[in-house]
Amino acid sequence: MADVMIHEFLLGFIKIYILQYAEKEPVYGKEIHDQLQEYGYKISFGTLYNTFHGFEEKGYLIHEDRNINGKIRKYYTLTDRGKEAFNKAKEKAKELFDALYE
Amino acid sequence: MADVMIHEFLLGFIKIYILQYAEKEPVYGKEIHDQLQEYGYKISFGTLYNTFHGFEEKGYLIHEDRNINGKIRKYYTLTDRGKEAFNKAKEKAKELFDALYE
DNA sequence: TTCTTGATATCAATTTATGATATCATTATT
DNA sequence: AATAATGATATCATAAATTGATATCAAGAA
């Protein structure tokens, strides 16, 4: 059941979390995938990379290629525009969250 | 932009909120639709009623018909199974939420 | 009976998610 | 200088979820 719930309830939240991560420090796809998995959240690579691309198209993220041990990684960083979107999402999420715990 | 963000980030959260509402007191579709709209969250009737039906199929909600001013309303109430799902979702959401505000 | 009203249901079209597979860029191996 | 190996990203056909306009419903009023 836990799996189903992620799809149904938590995917949007995971996306906010991606923005937040990218605010703290540059993040790449595989890293966040594995990290989320470790904590019991599943997001497919298809959805994940598509999410990164979508965020970049919307101007929320930009990436730079880094060569790590001879492998290319795309490190994504939050833009100002992304920060704005993130803050709004966070705020709205908090509203709903507070309603949940009031 | 606010609209887009609801779709992208908050829809799952709204679904948790529906469960929570149904725990406090019986809720019907139009009511929660209008209430959410008032607070700036939009969910289409298609998605909303489909969500109610899905939750009922999964055994999270049951409904009873009530005649209010000559109009039928379907009041949905949280079941024990639904309570279980709600608590898990809430817990997972809190984890992610705390990560957002840590 | 027919109209109105508040609400729920439907469904074709669109959008989003999945995950298996392909591809990429670099280093190591032969 | 090919070729294999590796870690990561990209693709894309299929599947699932969302939309919203429209249809339907049930009951009271005209």
Coordinates of all heavy atoms in Angstrom, one line a residue, chain D residues 1 3 7-8 10-17 19-24 26-28 30:
Chain D
dA1 P 45.2 6.1 -34.4 OP1 44.0 6.8 -34.2 OP2 46.2 6.1 -35.4 O5' 45.2 4.6 -33.7 C5' 44.9 3.4 -34.5 C4' 43.7 2.8 -33.9 O4' 44.0 2.2 -32.6 C3' 42.5 3.7 -33.6 O3' 41.3 3.0 -33.8 C2' 42.6 4.0 -32.2 C1' 43.1 2.7 -31.6 N9 43.7 2.7 -30.3 C8 44.2 3.8 -29.6 N7 44.6 3.5 -28.4 C5 44.4 2.1 -28.3 C6 44.7 1.2 -27.3 N6 45.3 1.5 -26.2 N1 44.4 -0.1 -27.5 C2 43.8 -0.5 -28.7 N3 43.5 0.3 -29.7 C4 43.9 1.6 -29.5
dT3 P 36.3 -2.6 -33.1 OP1 36.3 -3.8 -33.9 OP2 35.4 -1.5 -33.4 O5' 36.1 -3.0 -31.6 C5' 37.0 -3.9 -31.0 C4' 36.8 -3.9 -29.5 O4' 37.4 -2.8 -28.8 C3' 35.3 -3.9 -29.1 O3' 35.1 -5.0 -28.2 C2' 35.2 -2.5 -28.4 C1' 36.5 -2.4 -27.8 N1 36.9 -1.0 -27.4 C2 37.6 -0.7 -26.2 O2 37.8 -1.6 -25.4 N3 37.9 0.6 -26.0 C4 37.7 1.7 -26.8 O4 38.0 2.8 -26.5 C5 37.0 1.4 -28.0 C7 36.7 2.5 -29.0 C6 36.7 0.1 -28.3
dG7 P 29.9 1.7 -11.9 OP1 30.7 1.7 -10.7 OP2 28.8 0.7 -12.1 O5' 29.2 3.2 -12.0 C5' 30.1 4.3 -12.0 C4' 29.3 5.4 -12.6 O4' 29.0 5.1 -14.0 C3' 27.9 5.6 -12.0 O3' 27.8 7.0 -11.7 C2' 26.9 5.2 -13.0 C1' 27.6 5.4 -14.3 N9 27.2 4.6 -15.4 C8 26.9 3.2 -15.4 N7 26.6 2.8 -16.6 C5 26.8 3.9 -17.5 C6 26.7 4.0 -18.9 O6 26.3 3.1 -19.7 N1 27.0 5.2 -19.3 C2 27.3 6.3 -18.5 N2 27.6 7.5 -19.1 N3 27.5 6.2 -17.2 C4 27.2 5.0 -16.8
dA8 P 26.6 7.5 -10.7 OP1 27.2 8.6 -9.9 OP2 25.9 6.4 -10.2 O5' 25.7 8.2 -11.8 C5' 26.2 9.3 -12.6 C4' 25.5 9.3 -13.9 O4' 25.5 8.1 -14.6 C3' 24.0 9.7 -13.9 O3' 23.9 11.1 -14.0 C2' 23.4 8.9 -15.0 C1' 24.6 8.2 -15.7 N9 24.2 6.9 -16.2 C8 24.1 5.7 -15.5 N7 23.7 4.7 -16.3 C5 23.7 5.2 -17.6 C6 23.4 4.7 -18.8 N6 23.1 3.4 -19.0 N1 23.4 5.5 -19.9 C2 23.7 6.8 -19.7 N3 24.0 7.5 -18.6 C4 24.0 6.6 -17.5
dA10 P 19.5 14.1 -19.8 OP1 19.8 15.3 -20.5 OP2 18.5 14.1 -18.7 O5' 19.0 13.0 -20.8 C5' 19.8 12.7 -22.0 C4' 19.0 11.9 -23.0 O4' 18.9 10.6 -22.5 C3' 17.6 12.4 -23.3 O3' 17.5 12.4 -24.7 C2' 16.7 11.5 -22.6 C1' 17.5 10.2 -22.6 N9 17.3 9.3 -21.5 C8 17.4 9.6 -20.1 N7 17.3 8.6 -19.3 C5 17.0 7.5 -20.2 C6 16.7 6.1 -19.9 N6 16.6 5.6 -18.7 N1 16.5 5.3 -21.0 C2 16.5 5.9 -22.2 N3 16.8 7.2 -22.6 C4 17.0 7.9 -21.5
dT11 P 16.1 12.9 -25.3 OP1 16.4 13.5 -26.6 OP2 15.3 13.6 -24.3 O5' 15.4 11.5 -25.7 C5' 16.1 10.5 -26.3 C4' 15.3 9.3 -26.5 O4' 15.2 8.5 -25.3 C3' 13.8 9.5 -27.0 O3' 13.6 8.6 -28.0 C2' 13.0 9.2 -25.7 C1' 13.8 8.1 -25.1 N1 13.7 7.9 -23.6 C2 13.5 6.6 -23.2 O2 13.4 5.6 -23.9 N3 13.4 6.5 -21.8 C4 13.5 7.5 -20.9 O4 13.4 7.2 -19.7 C5 13.7 8.8 -21.4 C7 13.8 10.0 -20.5 C6 13.7 8.9 -22.7
dC12 P 12.5 9.0 -29.2 OP1 13.2 8.7 -30.5 OP2 12.0 10.4 -28.9 O5' 11.4 8.0 -28.9 C5' 11.8 6.6 -28.7 C4' 10.5 5.9 -28.1 O4' 10.6 5.9 -26.6 C3' 9.2 6.5 -28.5 O3' 8.2 5.5 -28.6 C2' 8.9 7.4 -27.3 C1' 9.4 6.4 -26.2 N1 9.6 7.1 -24.9 C2 9.8 6.3 -23.7 O2 9.7 5.1 -23.8 N3 10.0 6.9 -22.5 C4 10.1 8.2 -22.4 N4 10.3 8.8 -21.3 C5 9.9 9.1 -23.6 C6 9.7 8.5 -24.8
dA13 P 7.4 5.5 -30.0 OP1 8.4 5.2 -31.2 OP2 6.5 6.7 -30.1 O5' 6.5 4.2 -29.8 C5' 7.2 2.9 -29.5 C4' 6.4 2.2 -28.4 O4' 6.7 2.9 -27.1 C3' 4.9 2.2 -28.5 O3' 4.5 0.9 -28.1 C2' 4.4 3.3 -27.6 C1' 5.5 3.3 -26.5 N9 5.7 4.5 -25.8 C8 5.7 5.8 -26.3 N7 6.0 6.7 -25.4 C5 6.1 6.1 -24.2 C6 6.4 6.5 -22.9 N6 6.5 7.7 -22.6 N1 6.5 5.5 -22.0 C2 6.3 4.2 -22.3 N3 6.0 3.7 -23.5 C4 6.0 4.7 -24.4
dT14 P 2.9 0.6 -28.1 OP1 2.8 -0.8 -28.6 OP2 2.2 1.6 -28.8 O5' 2.6 0.6 -26.6 C5' 3.2 -0.3 -25.7 C4' 2.8 0.0 -24.3 O4' 3.2 1.4 -24.0 C3' 1.3 0.0 -24.0 O3' 1.0 -0.9 -23.0 C2' 0.9 1.4 -23.7 C1' 2.2 2.0 -23.2 N1 2.4 3.5 -23.2 C2 2.8 4.1 -22.1 O2 3.0 3.6 -21.0 N3 3.0 5.5 -22.2 C4 2.8 6.2 -23.4 O4 3.0 7.4 -23.4 C5 2.4 5.5 -24.6 C7 2.2 6.2 -25.9 C6 2.3 4.1 -24.4
dA15 P -0.5 -1.1 -22.5 OP1 -0.6 -2.5 -22.0 OP2 -1.4 -0.6 -23.5 O5' -0.5 -0.2 -21.2 C5' 0.5 -0.3 -20.2 C4' 0.3 0.7 -19.1 O4' 0.6 2.1 -19.6 C3' -1.2 0.8 -18.7 O3' -1.1 0.7 -17.2 C2' -1.8 2.1 -19.2 C1' -0.5 2.9 -19.3 N9 -0.5 4.0 -20.3 C8 -0.8 3.9 -21.6 N7 -0.7 5.0 -22.3 C5 -0.3 5.9 -21.4 C6 -0.1 7.3 -21.4 N6 -0.2 8.0 -22.6 N1 0.3 7.9 -20.3 C2 0.4 7.2 -19.2 N3 0.2 5.9 -19.0 C4 -0.2 5.3 -20.1
dA16 P -2.4 0.6 -16.3 OP1 -2.1 -0.3 -15.2 OP2 -3.6 0.4 -17.2 O5' -2.5 2.1 -15.8 C5' -1.4 2.7 -15.1 C4' -1.7 4.1 -14.8 O4' -1.7 4.9 -16.0 C3' -3.0 4.4 -14.2 O3' -2.8 5.1 -13.0 C2' -3.8 5.2 -15.2 C1' -2.7 5.8 -16.0 N9 -3.0 6.2 -17.4 C8 -3.5 5.4 -18.4 N7 -3.6 5.9 -19.6 C5 -3.2 7.2 -19.3 C6 -3.1 8.4 -20.2 N6 -3.4 8.4 -21.4 N1 -2.6 9.5 -19.6 C2 -2.2 9.5 -18.3 N3 -2.3 8.5 -17.4 C4 -2.8 7.4 -18.0
dA17 P -4.0 5.6 -12.0 OP1 -3.5 5.5 -10.6 OP2 -5.2 5.0 -12.4 O5' -4.0 7.1 -12.4 C5' -2.8 7.9 -12.3 C4' -3.0 9.3 -12.7 O4' -3.3 9.4 -14.1 C3' -4.2 10.0 -12.0 O3' -3.8 11.3 -11.6 C2' -5.3 10.0 -13.0 C1' -4.5 10.1 -14.3 N9 -5.1 9.5 -15.5 C8 -5.6 8.3 -15.7 N7 -6.0 8.0 -16.9 C5 -5.8 9.2 -17.6 C6 -6.0 9.6 -18.9 N6 -6.5 8.8 -19.9 N1 -5.6 10.8 -19.3 C2 -5.0 11.6 -18.4 N3 -4.8 11.4 -17.1 C4 -5.2 10.1 -16.8
dT19 P -7.0 18.2 -12.8 OP1 -6.3 19.4 -12.4 OP2 -8.0 17.5 -11.8 O5' -7.8 18.4 -14.2 C5' -7.0 18.8 -15.3 C4' -7.9 18.9 -16.5 O4' -8.3 17.6 -16.9 C3' -9.1 19.8 -16.3 O3' -9.0 20.9 -17.1 C2' -10.3 18.8 -16.6 C1' -9.6 17.7 -17.4 N1 -10.3 16.4 -17.3 C2 -10.7 15.7 -18.4 O2 -10.7 16.2 -19.5 N3 -11.2 14.5 -18.2 C4 -11.3 13.8 -16.9 O4 -11.7 12.7 -16.9 C5 -10.8 14.5 -15.8 C7 -10.9 13.9 -14.4 C6 -10.3 15.8 -16.0
dG20 P -9.7 22.3 -16.7 OP1 -8.9 23.3 -17.3 OP2 -10.0 22.3 -15.3 O5' -11.1 22.2 -17.5 C5' -11.1 21.9 -18.9 C4' -12.5 21.5 -19.4 O4' -12.7 20.1 -19.1 C3' -13.6 22.3 -18.6 O3' -14.6 22.5 -19.5 C2' -14.0 21.3 -17.5 C1' -13.9 20.0 -18.3 N9 -13.9 18.8 -17.5 C8 -13.7 18.7 -16.2 N7 -13.8 17.5 -15.7 C5 -14.1 16.7 -16.9 C6 -14.3 15.3 -17.0 O6 -14.2 14.5 -16.2 N1 -14.5 15.0 -18.3 C2 -14.6 15.9 -19.4 N2 -14.9 15.4 -20.6 N3 -14.4 17.2 -19.2 C4 -14.1 17.5 -18.0
dA21 P -15.1 23.9 -20.0 OP1 -13.9 24.6 -20.5 OP2 -15.9 24.5 -18.9 O5' -16.0 23.6 -21.2 C5' -15.6 22.7 -22.3 C4' -16.6 21.6 -22.6 O4' -16.5 20.6 -21.6 C3' -18.0 22.1 -22.5 O3' -18.7 21.7 -23.7 C2' -18.6 21.5 -21.3 C1' -17.8 20.2 -21.1 N9 -17.6 19.7 -19.8 C8 -17.4 20.5 -18.6 N7 -17.3 19.7 -17.5 C5 -17.5 18.4 -18.0 C6 -17.5 17.2 -17.3 N6 -17.4 17.1 -16.0 N1 -17.8 16.1 -18.0 C2 -17.9 16.2 -19.3 N3 -17.9 17.3 -20.1 C4 -17.7 18.4 -19.3
dT22 P -20.2 22.1 -24.0 OP1 -20.4 22.2 -25.4 OP2 -20.6 23.1 -23.0 O5' -21.0 20.7 -23.6 C5' -20.5 19.5 -24.1 C4' -21.2 18.3 -23.4 O4' -20.7 18.2 -22.1 C3' -22.7 18.5 -23.3 O3' -23.4 17.4 -23.9 C2' -23.0 18.6 -21.8 C1' -21.8 17.9 -21.2 N1 -21.5 18.2 -19.8 C2 -21.3 17.2 -18.9 O2 -21.5 16.0 -19.2 N3 -21.0 17.6 -17.7 C4 -20.8 18.9 -17.2 O4 -20.5 19.1 -16.1 C5 -20.9 19.9 -18.2 C7 -20.7 21.4 -17.9 C6 -21.3 19.5 -19.5
dA23 P -25.0 17.3 -24.0 OP1 -25.4 16.8 -25.3 OP2 -25.6 18.6 -23.4 O5' -25.2 16.2 -22.9 C5' -24.4 15.0 -23.0 C4' -24.8 14.1 -21.8 O4' -24.2 14.6 -20.6 C3' -26.3 13.9 -21.6 O3' -26.5 12.5 -21.4 C2' -26.5 14.7 -20.3 C1' -25.2 14.6 -19.6 N9 -24.9 15.7 -18.7 C8 -24.9 17.1 -19.0 N7 -24.6 17.9 -18.0 C5 -24.4 17.0 -16.9 C6 -24.0 17.2 -15.6 N6 -23.8 18.4 -15.1 N1 -23.9 16.1 -14.8 C2 -24.1 14.9 -15.3 N3 -24.5 14.6 -16.6 C4 -24.6 15.7 -17.3
dT24 P -28.0 12.0 -21.3 OP1 -28.1 10.7 -21.9 OP2 -29.0 13.1 -21.6 O5' -28.2 11.8 -19.7 C5' -27.2 11.0 -19.0 C4' -27.4 11.2 -17.5 O4' -27.0 12.5 -17.1 C3' -28.8 11.0 -17.1 O3' -28.8 9.8 -16.2 C2' -29.2 12.2 -16.3 C1' -27.8 12.8 -16.0 N1 -27.7 14.3 -15.9 C2 -27.4 14.8 -14.6 O2 -27.1 14.2 -13.7 N3 -27.3 16.2 -14.6 C4 -27.6 17.1 -15.6 O4 -27.5 18.3 -15.4 C5 -28.0 16.5 -16.9 C7 -28.4 17.4 -18.0 C6 -28.1 15.1 -16.9
dA26 P -32.3 8.9 -9.9 OP1 -31.9 7.5 -9.5 OP2 -33.3 9.1 -11.0 O5' -32.7 9.7 -8.7 C5' -31.8 10.3 -7.8 C4' -32.4 11.4 -7.0 O4' -32.4 12.7 -7.8 C3' -33.9 11.2 -6.8 O3' -34.2 11.6 -5.4 C2' -34.6 12.0 -7.8 C1' -33.7 13.2 -7.9 N9 -33.7 13.9 -9.2 C8 -34.0 13.4 -10.5 N7 -33.9 14.3 -11.4 C5 -33.6 15.5 -10.8 C6 -33.3 16.8 -11.2 N6 -33.4 17.1 -12.5 N1 -33.0 17.7 -10.3 C2 -32.9 17.4 -9.0 N3 -33.1 16.1 -8.5 C4 -33.4 15.2 -9.4
dA27 P -35.5 11.1 -4.7 OP1 -35.1 10.6 -3.3 OP2 -36.3 10.3 -5.5 O5' -36.3 12.5 -4.4 C5' -35.6 13.5 -3.7 C4' -36.1 14.9 -4.0 O4' -35.9 15.1 -5.4 C3' -37.7 15.0 -3.9 O3' -37.9 16.0 -2.9 C2' -38.2 15.4 -5.3 C1' -36.9 15.9 -5.9 N9 -36.9 15.9 -7.4 C8 -37.2 14.8 -8.2 N7 -37.1 15.1 -9.5 C5 -36.7 16.4 -9.5 C6 -36.5 17.3 -10.6 N6 -36.6 16.9 -11.8 N1 -36.2 18.6 -10.2 C2 -36.1 18.9 -9.0 N3 -36.3 18.2 -7.9 C4 -36.6 16.9 -8.2
dG28 P -39.4 16.3 -2.3 OP1 -39.3 16.3 -0.8 OP2 -40.3 15.5 -3.1 O5' -39.6 17.8 -2.8 C5' -38.6 18.8 -2.4 C4' -38.8 20.1 -3.1 O4' -38.6 19.9 -4.5 C3' -40.3 20.6 -3.0 O3' -40.2 22.1 -2.8 C2' -40.9 20.2 -4.3 C1' -39.7 20.2 -5.3 N9 -39.8 19.3 -6.4 C8 -40.2 17.9 -6.3 N7 -40.2 17.3 -7.4 C5 -39.9 18.3 -8.3 C6 -39.7 18.3 -9.8 O6 -39.9 17.3 -10.5 N1 -39.4 19.5 -10.3 C2 -39.2 20.6 -9.6 N2 -38.9 21.7 -10.3 N3 -39.3 20.7 -8.3 C4 -39.7 19.5 -7.7
dA30 P -43.2 27.9 -6.9 OP1 -42.6 29.2 -6.7 OP2 -44.3 27.5 -6.0 O5' -43.6 27.8 -8.4 C5' -42.7 27.8 -9.5 C4' -43.4 27.5 -10.8 O4' -43.6 26.1 -11.0 C3' -44.7 28.2 -10.9 O3' -44.8 28.8 -12.2 C2' -45.7 27.1 -10.7 C1' -45.0 25.9 -11.3 N9 -45.3 24.6 -10.6 C8 -45.6 24.4 -9.3 N7 -45.9 23.2 -9.0 C5 -45.8 22.5 -10.2 C6 -45.9 21.1 -10.6 N6 -46.3 20.2 -9.7 N1 -45.7 20.8 -11.9 C2 -45.4 21.8 -12.7 N3 -45.2 23.1 -12.5 C4 -45.4 23.4 -11.2

